[in-house]
């Protein structure tokens, strides 16, 4: 049953990626929405779950928050190192700001997160059918945002369309793989919380330092800001319905 439900997440992820492709003539709106979705996922979904699962204090600070900051710093460091390496090979200033490897790495992290979504579905169905349905609805709803963000991030950093599509399909298949894995193993809650904290920090860096500035660079329009707010509101709605 968990694997069957995860197929819904597969389809919803593809719908999100398809939507991101179809609105390329409104790129600033796409990026504004993507930034809002990412901000909402981090602040309203990932971080609360991480704190609940890995809230043990380490020298006065919850473990999840330490890893959250660590994820942010690692994402910043990786981008700077890759940009510096590209500069050393003679890339111009515009190209340095769009390192394709950063986009692929971020998309791969999204795939990893989607695997965990599938694991969450499988684990919830192990607890009970009602819990499984509630978690599945939440995952399927926010996988639209995952597919949208995966395609947008990969493309934004200058990767070819075929690579963006490949990452989109990998992200779509990931929940099915994660749900199937729960038939064989169980991930400790502490480890899952630590992962969510770290991933949330990396995702926030991409949203705040890359996606949103790019969205407002050429089109500092009110409509772009409204798309960002709408993205956050959508995730809030999903989280509220799931609760």
């Amino acid at each position: 049953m968990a694997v069957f439900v995860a197929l819904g997440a597969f389809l919803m992820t593809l719908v999100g990626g398809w939507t991101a492709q179809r609105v390329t003539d409104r790129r600033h709106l796409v990026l504004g929405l993507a930034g809002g979705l990412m901000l909402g996922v981090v602040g309203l979904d990932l971080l609360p779950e991480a704190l609940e699962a890995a809230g043990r204090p380490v020298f006065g600070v919850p473990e999840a928050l330490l890893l959250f900051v660590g994820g942010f710093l690692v994402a910043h460091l990786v981008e700077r190192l890759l940009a510096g390496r590209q500069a050393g090979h003679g890339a111009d200033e515009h190209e340095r700001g769009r390192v394709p490897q950063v986009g692929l790495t971020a998309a791969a992290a999204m795939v990893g997160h989607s695997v965990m979504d599938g694991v969450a579905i499988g684990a919830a169905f192990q607890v009970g059918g009602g819990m499984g349905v509630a978690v599945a609805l939440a995952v399927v709803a926010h996988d639209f945002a995952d597919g949208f963000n995966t395609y947008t991030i990969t493309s934004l950093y200058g990767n070819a369309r075929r690579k963006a599509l490949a990452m989109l399909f990998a992200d779509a298949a990931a929940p099915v793989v994660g749900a199937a894995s729960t038939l064989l193993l169980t991930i400790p809650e502490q480890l899952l919380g630590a992962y969510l904290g770290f991933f949330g920090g990396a995702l926030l860096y991409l949203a705040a330092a890359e996606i949103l500035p790019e969205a407002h660079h050429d089109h500092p329009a009110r409509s772009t800001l409204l798309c960002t707010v709408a993205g956050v509101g959508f995730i809030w709605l999903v989280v509220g319905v799931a609760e």
Side-chain angles (χ1 to χ4, degrees), residues 140-164:
V140 169
H142 99 253
D143 271 357
F144 174 87
D146 283 353
F148 191 98
N149 289 335
T150 298
Y151 185 88
T152 301
I153 290 172
T154 309
S155 301
L156 176 65
Y157 281 85
N159 290 284
R161 182 172 180 272
R162 59 181 179 80
K163 288 187 178 180

Side-chain angles (χ1 to χ4, degrees), residues 106-129:
M110 296 291 292
V111 173
H113 173 58
S114 293
V115 171
M116 295 303 172
D117 281 346
V119 171
I121 293 175
F125 271 102
Q126 290 178 2
V127 173

Side-chain angles (χ1 to χ4, degrees), residues 1-65:
M1 183 61 180
V3 176
F4 177 76
V5 170
L7 291 173
F10 173 88
L11 295 174
M12 188 61 75
T13 303
L14 292 182
V15 170
W18 178 84
T19 302
Q21 293 180 68
R22 300 297 294 180
V23 290
T24 51
D25 58 330
R26 293 289 184 269
R27 185 170 177 269
H28 59 292
L29 299 181
V30 172
L31 294 175
L33 179 62
L37 290 171
M38 293 167 72
L39 178 59
V41 166
V42 172
L44 306 179
D45 187 16
L46 293 181
L47 201 52
E49 289 186 25
L51 285 169
E52 183 177 348
R56 180 176 59 87
V58 178
F59 203 63
V61 179
E63 178 184 357
L65 289 182

